[in-house]
Amino acid sequence: VVELLAELLAESRGRGGRHLLGELTALDLYWATFANLVSPLPPELMPMPPALRPMFTSSDPELHALLAKSGLLELRDRVYREHLELPVVL
């Protein structure tokens, strides 16, 4: 699924889009919130007890490499800054 989202983002960027399908859609909002289950926002933007953070962080190095390379985390961060409430309150 993450690979598919990475492909959507690359195609969208190729057409000059800033989001997964070009313009902001629910998919961008869903991605931004879901991404915190595998790579949470930094502690100052998503405070949580330190013991919980590892439970929200994937241990898969290939997934983290794909997230970093694809720009999906950058998209998550931008969607939060521009459209969602920060800091995230759990």
Side-chain angles (χ1 to χ4, degrees):
V1 171
V2 175
E3 287 177 355
L4 174 62
L5 293 174
E7 289 172 17
L8 284 174
L9 184 58
E11 290 171 8
S12 172
R13 286 180 169 172
R15 296 186 308 271
R18 296 183 65 223
H19 298 91
L20 290 166
L21 300 176
E23 298 296 321
L24 179 72
T25 67
L27 182 58
D28 298 291
L29 301 174
Y30 295 149
W31 162 250
T33 55
F34 172 80
N36 287 313
L37 297 175
V38 295
S39 183
L41 288 161
E44 62 275 9
L45 298 178
M46 189 174 182
M48 68 178 80
L52 288 182
R53 191 160 284 276
M55 290 183 234
F56 283 84
T57 305
S58 170
S59 60
D60 183 346
E62 290 180 24
L63 175 60
H64 286 284
L66 175 59
L67 291 173
K69 173 178 77 171
S70 67
L72 286 169
L73 292 181
E74 179 184 294
L75 173 63
R76 176 206 59 194
D77 296 351
R78 185 166 26 83
V79 168
Y80 265 97
R81 275 192 320 272
E82 296 176 5
H83 305 286
L84 298 171
E85 186 174 331
L86 287 172
V88 175
V89 179
L90 296 179

